[in-house]
Amino acid sequence: MGLATAFTELFDVQHPIALAPMGGSAGGALTAAVSRGGGLGLLGSGNGDPDWLAREARAVADEGAAKPWGIGFLTWAIDVGAVARALEYRPSAVMLSFGDPSPFVERIRSAGTALIIQVTDLEEARRAVDLGADVIVAQGTEGGGHGARRGRSTLPFVPIVVDLAAPVPVLAAGGIADGRGVAAALALGAAGALLGTRFQATAEALVAPATAKAIVEGRGEDTERNRVLDIARRSRWPAQYTARTLGHPFLDEWRGREEELAVAPHAQQAYQDAVARGEIPALPQWAGEAVDLINDLPSAADLVRTMAAQAEDALARAGRR
């Protein structure tokens, strides 16, 4: 039957489900699998590394069966050249997150490509509307990975953005890991849901086996938002965006001492040395609060279909009450 929304109609996809373009881990195989399953796969190009993008975009072309797909960027980390290179692969959409999207809008629009803008607060949401976004992603603070330091949770944030952005379709993000979450997003007025952590725990995700295992075994209370790991990694992430991760030894040591860590090069070097020795993961284990709902590593295509069926069932049951 399918759940038709403004989002599914815009991209001609079967299900109102999109892959969060997680930098590095949302590679070509995962993007293609989500699109084959009837959702919208979004390649996680992050900082726009041309070699990575070329390799993974080819994988989408090889495995995507000509289904709609897109490319996502960290807006603060790219220049116009990165967007121009991405558009050469003729994606259905380009998604911009975390930073000012305005320098890239004209280039995307001139290519006839749909523009998706992720927002973490109302100021960003108003800017996305003013810039003419074709789709807006409203990200709640429950989500894994980076988000607003002082954002709102998904349940109250999404309907506010839906009302503000109408008639622009909105996707809900943050703390959604199964079909019931997709159904809830639709009940809030969203046109679909964008999921990250759930898709990290799939057969096609570009994550280390230890990370996939940690997600399957993780609990929501094991996650927390912090800047400690960005500082320790010497990452250039803007301070207004913290990251939700699973536990980590550096969190226990430096929690609440971010300013001190930022001026402690010896501690940052200790982190790098521990990574080099294999004592800690090279990357933090990003995970959202809905990680408890993840207990297997399915194919992403099958997962999309399963979640869509779950969402239909949840909405049907709600309608009978």
Side-chain angles (χ1 to χ4, degrees):
M1 181 171 61
L3 294 168
T5 71
F7 170 77
T8 62
E9 293 172 3
L10 175 63
F11 291 105
D12 192 24
V13 296
Q14 187 175 0
H15 306 303
I17 295 170
L19 165 67
M22 300 168 287
S25 60
L30 178 54
T31 300
V34 170
S35 291
R36 286 199 315 274
L40 181 68
L42 291 165
L43 193 66
S45 189
N47 63 5
D49 177 81
D51 294 333
W52 190 93
L53 179 58
R55 180 180 67 250
E56 300 303 329
R58 280 196 298 270
V60 178
D62 291 342
E63 303 177 33
K67 298 292 187 179
W69 65 285
I71 299 174
F73 291 105
L74 302 175
T75 312
W76 62 266
I78 62 168
D79 57 20
V80 175
V83 171
R85 285 190 296 273
L87 292 171
E88 294 175 2
Y89 298 100
R90 303 181 66 82
S92 301
V94 169
M95 178 170 160
L96 303 175
S97 304
F98 309 118
D100 181 9
S102 58
F104 314 104
V105 169
E106 183 177 348
R107 192 65 179 262
I108 295 167
R109 288 207 166 283
S110 65
T113 303
L115 172 64
I116 304 175
I117 298 178
Q118 180 165 249
V119 303
T120 63
D121 60 33
L122 290 183
E123 180 181 349
E124 292 180 352
R126 294 186 185 98
R127 180 171 58 190
V129 172
D130 291 343
L131 290 173
D134 296 295
V135 176
I136 293 174
V137 176
Q139 186 205 52
T141 56
E142 299 96 324
H146 288 82
R149 188 183 187 103
R150 295 184 176 88
R152 303 186 191 185
S153 59
T154 303
L155 185 64
F157 185 51
V158 169
I160 294 173
V161 177
V162 168
D163 291 348
L164 184 154
V168 179
V170 172
L171 298 182
I176 301 172
D178 64 10
R180 293 171 296 180
V182 175
L186 298 175
L188 292 174
L194 180 135
L195 293 83
T197 307
R198 171 64 272 201
F199 282 122
Q200 285 214 103
T202 56
E204 297 86 357
L206 290 177
V207 298
T211 295
K213 182 175 184 289
I215 291 173
V216 169
E217 296 177 352
R219 302 171 301 171
E221 59 265 35
D222 297 333
T223 71
E224 62 179 286
R225 302 198 70 86
N226 69 90
R227 288 193 66 235
V228 169
L229 300 182
D230 282 341
I231 297 170
R233 293 186 302 134
R234 299 170 180 161
S235 170
R236 296 187 297 113
W237 265 94
Q240 67 263 37
Y241 301 117
T242 56
R244 184 174 294 283
T245 72
L246 291 170
H248 192 285
F250 259 68
L251 280 180
D252 296 335
E253 183 176 355
W254 289 96
R255 184 179 293 107
R257 299 165 59 200
E258 289 89 345
E259 293 185 7
E260 182 182 347
L261 179 60
V263 295
H266 65 283
Q268 297 171 30
Q269 188 59 51
Y271 180 96
Q272 303 295 330
D273 293 343
V275 168
R277 292 192 299 267
E279 296 174 358
I280 58 176
L283 288 174
Q285 293 172 329
W286 325 109
E289 288 187 358
V291 69
D292 306 70
L293 299 174
I294 301 171
N295 53 31
D296 59 359
L297 299 169
S299 160
D302 291 341
L303 178 60
V304 171
R305 300 183 188 107
T306 297
M307 289 193 296
Q310 290 173 340
E312 287 190 56
D313 181 63
L315 291 170
R317 285 188 286 109
R320 291 197 295 267
R321 291 174 182 170

